[in-house]
Amino acid sequence: MMQDKPEIKEKAKELSEAPRNISGAVINVIPKEVANKYKMVAFDRGDDTIKIAMLNVEDVDALNVLSFISDKEKTKIETYLVSDKVFSELFSHYDEASDALQDAIASFKDAGEPDKEALEKKKKEEIENLKDAPVAKLVEVLISHAVEGKASDIHIEPMDKDYRVRFRVDGVLHVSLIFPLEIGPVVVSRIKILANLKIDEKRKPQDGRFRLNFKGTDIDFRVSSLPVVGGEKIVMRILDKDSGTASTEALGLIGKALDDISDAIKETYGMILITGPTGSGKSTTLYTLLKILNSEDRNIITLEDPVEYYIEGLNQSQIKPEIGYTFASGLRTILRQDPNVIMVGEIRDGETAELAVHAALTGHLMFSTLHTNTAIGAIPRMMDMGIEPFLLSSSLRMVIAQRLVRRICEKCKEEISVPAVVVNSIVKKIEKISEKELKNHGITDLGKLKFYHGKGCDFCNGTGLKGRVAIYEAVPVTDQIKNIIIEKHGNEDLIIKEREALGVLSIEQDGVLKILQGFTTIEEVERVTECDFTLAEEND
């Protein structure tokens, strides 16, 4: 029967386990009643294929329905044979997202949008009764799906005709659910109640946070509301303190970078700066380094905006610019708290930079971040903020740049062949790296390189990627670099030459080595470093 329907892939596969996270946009490709009647559920969707789990892959009527769906969605259908148990687990997703949404819609139609003054007046009562409200159940389902799917952020945003919910998983946004426009303000109100925000204030941005216990683990949610055309956009950052730190190996620190950073944090004073764009994992790296230093004989104080992860043993302070408690004023205060190690969330202005340098020169180990594209770019950036070259050279110990790339899923990882032009350009990127460093990364023969990708499976929801790893450029500030800072005002070209002479890997080189180790893919490194390995040979 399958051969009569070219839009349906011919041979059904077997699905032994139900995926843990299925978005509402995917599950609702087949209406609940139809799914129940023909015993089939959509569980994944790619660019040109929808994956369907079926109890009977030879059911003619079911296949006719799938042909109709294939035409309607303008995509191919891939069928999977499942057991009764797996089908029940997949079908239960309707009872969560879909039923919660339908209950919320019905409740809204019955009661209308809640009066804002009444909601504000009965705020405590609303919070106590939150679990019984249909809209609150919808919010609960959204949050649980995001946590189970290892999402870092939840975006709830008004569109022209509806509200869209997207999860950021491994740095990439995916649509999870679409719900009617009239439900949006009520969902937003529920979240604002949880985060202790003013629900009747829609003209100004607001920030808050709340905590929920999920399967025995306390998880914090940082909430930001933003007025946009059509309503309010809510973004919730999911802060699981257990995932806030990792080992240096899990971060992706290997070889010379790990050795140089380990040496730098053993110093009793000096400044270590981490650079990179928002979302590049700077905070996680900082927390991991601080956790290594965390001991009873050290006083570690942090200034953060916001405090993302609470770590026992650290004195973590939340700055509040609205009352005058800034990074600069906080830094002045904590210098009187007899710290050994200081972490300032970000150096944003000249005053903070000056105080940070002063702290680094007076017996404190100082950690902070800067928003620059490269590690070396942090040096002229600090001088642009008014730091004198001789002070910067005396205080700076190390500058680190990092990016995050998605890991290849270990469950469906397989070796692939790569065009010769790409292999040649990759070899050119790393041919000047020392044999010792290549060996540290498990590479012994540049003539026998292997490349991998994930073919897609249930564990990674068909993406072939699961989790993330960082790629680094860790530049120790040597005497030669100090001289360049003082005498040449931090000339970047000269520092780059010195970096290469030291054998320090660039971010691109570290990315290439992680490709060859099987951690990530060529496409991922190209995405975050903006290099193109197919053009590298032509450009050289």
Side-chain angles (χ1 to χ4, degrees):
M1 292 294 177
M2 301 290 284
Q3 294 177 350
D4 296 331
K5 303 184 181 303
E7 67 274 33
I8 299 176
K9 291 195 173 182
E10 292 186 2
K11 187 178 180 181
K13 301 177 182 178
E14 288 192 11
L15 184 66
S16 57
E17 294 182 5
R20 290 177 294 177
N21 184 39
I22 304 175
S23 73
V26 170
I27 198 80
N28 288 312
V29 165
I30 301 176
K32 183 178 179 181
E33 297 75 13
V34 175
N36 187 42
K37 180 178 179 179
Y38 296 106
K39 305 302 178 188
M40 58 187 185
V41 178
F43 65 90
D44 189 26
R45 182 169 190 165
D47 293 335
D48 61 351
T49 305
I50 298 176
K51 295 181 179 180
I52 307 292
M54 304 178 71
L55 281 181
N56 181 5
V57 294
E58 295 184 356
D59 184 334
V60 177
D61 292 334
L63 295 176
N64 286 332
V65 172
L66 290 181
S67 293
F68 173 77
I69 291 173
S70 176
D71 291 337
K72 177 186 173 186
E73 299 289 336
K74 294 181 174 56
T75 186
K76 296 176 183 177
I77 300 293
E78 187 173 330
T79 56
Y80 287 76
L81 179 64
V82 296
S83 64
D84 289 332
K85 179 177 179 293
V86 172
F87 179 80
S88 297
E89 291 176 7
L90 291 170
F91 193 78
S92 67
H93 286 271
Y94 282 107
D95 298 327
E96 296 175 358
S98 183
D99 284 0
L101 179 56
Q102 294 306 318
D103 289 346
I105 294 171
S107 172
F108 182 80
K109 287 179 178 176
D110 291 341
E113 185 175 357
D115 180 70
K116 299 177 186 66
E117 292 183 5
L119 274 176
E120 184 68 26
K121 186 178 180 181
K122 296 182 178 181
K123 196 173 192 179
K124 292 182 180 179
E125 183 181 340
E126 286 284 348
I127 295 172
E128 291 173 6
N129 298 329
L130 203 54
K131 293 183 179 179
D132 299 326
V135 172
K137 176 64 177 176
L138 176 59
V139 172
E140 183 183 316
V141 169
L142 289 177
I143 289 174
S144 65
H145 276 206
V147 173
E148 287 176 352
K150 304 294 183 184
S152 60
D153 301 86
I154 304 171
H155 293 239
I156 302 172
E157 49 205 350
M159 310 300 288
D160 288 340
K161 297 179 180 178
D162 47 39
Y163 260 74
R164 177 176 67 180
V165 180
R166 293 189 290 172
F167 295 161
R168 188 179 293 281
V169 181
D170 293 337
V172 179
L173 283 169
H174 303 277
V175 175
S176 173
L177 186 66
I178 303 291
F179 52 78
L181 196 61
E182 63 267 21
I183 295 293
V186 192
V187 171
V188 169
S189 292
R190 298 291 183 179
I191 294 170
K192 289 169 85 171
I193 288 171
L194 277 172
N196 201 30
L197 303 179
K198 296 179 180 178
I199 61 175
D200 58 344
E201 178 56 83
K202 297 185 177 182
R203 300 168 300 167
K204 297 179 181 178
Q206 297 186 73
D207 294 296
R209 64 191 300 153
F210 63 93
R211 175 176 293 180
L212 292 179
N213 188 281
F214 185 79
K215 295 183 178 179
T217 301
D218 285 335
I219 297 177
D220 289 333
F221 296 84
R222 192 176 79 216
V223 179
S224 171
S225 73
L226 178 71
V228 295
V229 175
E232 284 182 279
K233 173 173 178 173
I234 292 283
V235 174
M236 289 187 282
R237 169 64 59 89
I238 301 171
L239 304 171
D240 182 355
K241 65 180 181 181
D242 292 334
S243 65
T245 58
S247 65
T248 51
E249 291 78 9
L251 287 176
L253 283 168
I254 302 170
K256 180 173 173 55
L258 177 58
D259 294 340
D260 287 343
I261 291 174
S262 298
D263 289 342
I265 66 175
K266 289 175 184 174
E267 297 284 347
T268 55
Y269 72 96
M271 181 185 293
I272 297 172
L273 294 177
I274 302 184
T275 74
T278 300
S280 59
K282 300 188 298 295
S283 295
T284 302
T285 298
L286 278 175
Y287 282 126
T288 300
L289 298 180
L290 290 177
K291 200 170 181 181
I292 292 171
L293 295 171
N294 191 10
S295 61
E296 290 184 357
D297 61 343
R298 283 194 182 96
N299 179 19
I300 302 176
I301 304 179
T302 75
L303 284 175
E304 304 175 56
D305 183 23
V307 175
E308 294 194 1
Y309 303 101
Y310 297 104
I311 300 176
E312 188 175 352
L314 269 58
N315 301 286
Q316 296 171 267
S317 184
Q318 165 77 58
I319 71 161
K320 295 179 180 177
E322 64 273 14
I323 61 170
Y325 184 40
T326 63
F327 281 126
S329 62
L331 196 45
R332 285 195 187 90
T333 300
I334 64 176
L335 286 173
R336 295 191 286 271
Q337 289 279 317
D338 188 30
N340 300 106
V341 180
I342 301 169
M343 191 270 271
V344 174
E346 182 184 349
I347 295 177
R348 298 175 180 171
D349 53 63
E351 186 181 10
T352 307
E354 185 178 348
L355 288 165
V357 167
H358 172 70
L361 289 172
T362 54
H364 306 93
L365 190 58
M366 162 68 65
F367 294 86
S368 193
T369 71
L370 273 178
H371 282 280
T372 60
N373 289 326
T374 64
I376 292 167
I379 293 171
R381 175 78 178 118
M382 290 289 285
M383 289 191 284
D384 287 345
M385 289 183 180
I387 304 301
E388 294 291 340
F390 72 92
L391 290 176
L392 185 60
S393 67
S394 300
S395 59
L396 202 56
R397 287 283 178 269
M398 168 158 281
V399 189
I400 305 165
Q402 73 175 80
R403 302 288 188 276
L404 289 177
V405 292
R406 289 180 289 176
R407 283 180 179 266
I408 297 172
C409 173
E410 289 297 328
K411 302 283 187 181
C412 61
K413 181 177 173 180
E414 64 179 10
E415 190 175 342
I416 57 170
S417 59
V418 171
V421 63
V422 176
V423 175
N424 291 338
S425 64
I426 280 177
V427 169
K428 284 196 171 186
K429 289 281 185 187
I430 62 173
E431 61 186 359
K432 293 181 181 179
I433 297 175
S434 70
E435 286 186 16
K436 179 183 177 182
E437 187 68 357
L438 289 174
K439 192 173 180 181
N440 285 334
H441 289 76
I443 300 164
T444 56
D445 188 350
L446 292 181
K448 296 179 180 178
L449 301 180
K450 293 183 178 181
F451 300 86
Y452 302 88
H453 81 154
K455 63 182 178 181
C457 66
D458 303 335
F459 183 68
C460 61
N461 287 324
T463 63
L465 301 161
K466 190 74 174 178
R468 289 189 286 179
V469 66
I471 55 177
Y472 289 95
E473 177 183 333
V475 183
V477 180
T478 62
D479 289 340
Q480 183 61 33
I481 291 178
K482 288 180 181 180
N483 289 335
I484 295 171
I485 292 173
I486 295 172
E487 297 173 9
K488 305 295 182 181
H489 291 272
N491 183 286
E492 289 190 53
D493 291 335
L494 293 176
I495 296 177
I496 288 172
K497 288 181 180 179
E498 176 62 16
R499 181 199 70 191
E500 292 173 350
L502 290 169
V504 172
L505 299 180
S506 68
I507 275 190
E508 285 185 9
Q509 288 175 322
D510 193 33
V512 167
L513 293 180
K514 286 186 169 68
I515 291 170
L516 300 176
Q517 286 178 282
F519 288 147
T520 190
T521 65
I522 293 171
E523 293 79 12
E524 275 297 292
V525 173
E526 286 181 330
R527 178 178 67 86
V528 302
T529 62
E530 297 181 356
C531 67
D532 189 336
F533 294 122
T534 61
L535 299 177
E537 186 177 87
E538 299 171 15
N539 293 339
D540 283 341

